[in-house]
Amino acid sequence: MMRKGNSLGAYAGDILGLGIITNSIKDQVNKQFNEDITGVSVGYIKQQDKNFKTFEWNGPPWSINYVAGRLIWIGLTCLLVYISSFFFHRFDFKQTVKLSPLLKIPEENPVSIPYSGFQRSALPEIIPAYGIIPFIKTELLLMIRKDAKWLWIISIGLWIATLFSPLPVAFSFLLPALFFLQVNRISDLATKEVTNRLHYFTFASYQPLRRLLPAQILAGFTLLTILALPVIVRLLLNFNFLLILQALNGIVFIVALSVCLGLLSGGKKLFEILFFLLTYIAFQAPDANYLGKISNFSYPFLITFLVINIILLIVIFLIRKHQIRTL
């Protein structure tokens, strides 16, 4: 929040430009309700007290100094972009490209290679395997080896914290945070083939709808279930079987939502944004957590997400079937 004052220096010191809004609300509250608050918080806040005081706020007072302060930051941003252009030449067509000379390979006289005694009949018989277990292992390895190692260190730390922290905290806060750290791993479960231009091979493989796509979904579900294993074991020891089903239902929802949005948008950004919003809602309003409520189990909540998961899975297979047919 910017310091009190309407001078150009005060507005220029407010980088985000939100000080004029919060100060205007604060001044109106102090004047209308005879309060002496020093700051306000704008956003979703859940409180047990229902005795709220409402007021009509007509917006902040605009001034020349505020507009000038914003123009200063806009000019500074343009200056930084201009300076960075000297080091970034992606769109500079005048930048010369240095071509390295072709390496000439000297011609060699052919050398006769003696027979090694290789016999094709001695090779083991080729036995085709049409299961999905190798695909699941491959998808898990791709997700595990993705991202930096320090991110896995943080994930392992949170995984250990879910063992010793209070169960409500581990279920409502630590587990959503642990899942969100895997957003880059699960956001491209079914789109990485298209991104890397390998979908011509994967779509033409043997039964991709029955083997490859289910393997990708099961791999994402397996990874998140392993990360949630400490919480699941603790719920199992407390005989909270319905909460376990609720948590597994939430895991299926995240994986199915990732695959469905990836197939619809052709990328992973839409799911990443929505997953961030779901995690934020889980922190701010535990009753709206996609994993469910640990304090009060709700059958309608479980059934609602179960229906949503079924719909998402049906849409996923229909979209992928259409993609394969129109390849």
Side-chain angles (χ1 to χ4, degrees), residues 22-61:
T22 54
N23 283 336
S24 175
I25 297 175
K26 179 192 65 176
D27 294 340
Q28 182 171 343
V29 170
N30 290 336
K31 182 178 179 180
Q32 184 172 343
F33 299 102
N34 296 323
E35 299 288 345
D36 190 20
I37 62 175
T38 59
V40 295
S41 178
V42 180
Y44 176 83
I45 301 175
K46 181 181 178 181
Q47 293 182 350
Q48 300 296 331
D49 187 11
K50 302 299 182 180
N51 298 323
F52 298 109
K53 296 180 181 179
T54 60
F55 63 95
E56 183 179 355
W57 180 62
N58 297 320

Side-chain angles (χ1 to χ4, degrees), residues 180 270-285 288 290:
F180 183 72
L270 180 60
F271 169 73
E272 291 176 352
I273 295 173
L274 188 58
F275 195 18
F276 173 79
L277 293 177
L278 290 174
T279 306
Y280 177 78
I281 293 173
F283 288 159
Q284 297 295 325
Y290 60 88

Side-chain angles (χ1 to χ4, degrees), residues 240-257:
N240 291 328
F241 303 108
L242 294 177
L243 287 179
I244 295 176
L245 293 177
Q246 196 166 256
L248 295 176
N249 199 23
I251 294 175
V252 174
F253 169 72
I254 291 299
V255 176
L257 185 67

Side-chain angles (χ1 to χ4, degrees), residues 125-233:
E125 183 182 358
I126 298 176
I127 301 176
Y130 299 120
I132 66 172
I133 301 300
F135 286 105
I136 296 176
K137 293 180 180 179
T138 303
E139 293 291 337
L140 283 174
L141 287 176
L142 289 175
M143 288 188 291
I144 291 173
R145 295 174 180 176
K146 198 175 182 180
D147 288 338
K149 294 182 179 180
W150 62 266
L151 197 58
W152 266 121
I153 296 175
I154 298 176
S155 299
I156 293 174
L158 283 176
W159 189 82
I160 297 174
T162 56
L163 284 169
F164 303 101
S165 59
L167 188 56
V169 175
F171 187 90
S172 302
F173 298 100
L174 296 183
L175 201 55
L178 183 57
F179 286 170
F180 183 72
L181 289 178
Q182 322 307 318
V183 60
N184 194 37
R185 295 187 174 94
I186 64 176
S187 59
D188 60 348
L189 276 173
T191 59
K192 54 182 176 293
E193 305 95 21
V194 180
T195 303
N196 298 313
R197 298 182 180 181
L198 296 174
H199 57 290
Y200 297 102
F201 301 98
T202 57
F203 289 179
S205 62
Y206 178 72
Q207 294 184 346
L209 279 177
R210 297 183 181 181
R211 299 170 68 235
L212 182 59
L213 185 59
Q216 293 170 337
I217 297 174
L218 289 175
F221 175 78
T222 302
L223 177 65
L224 296 186
T225 303
I226 292 174
L227 294 176
L229 201 58
V231 175
I232 293 176
V233 172

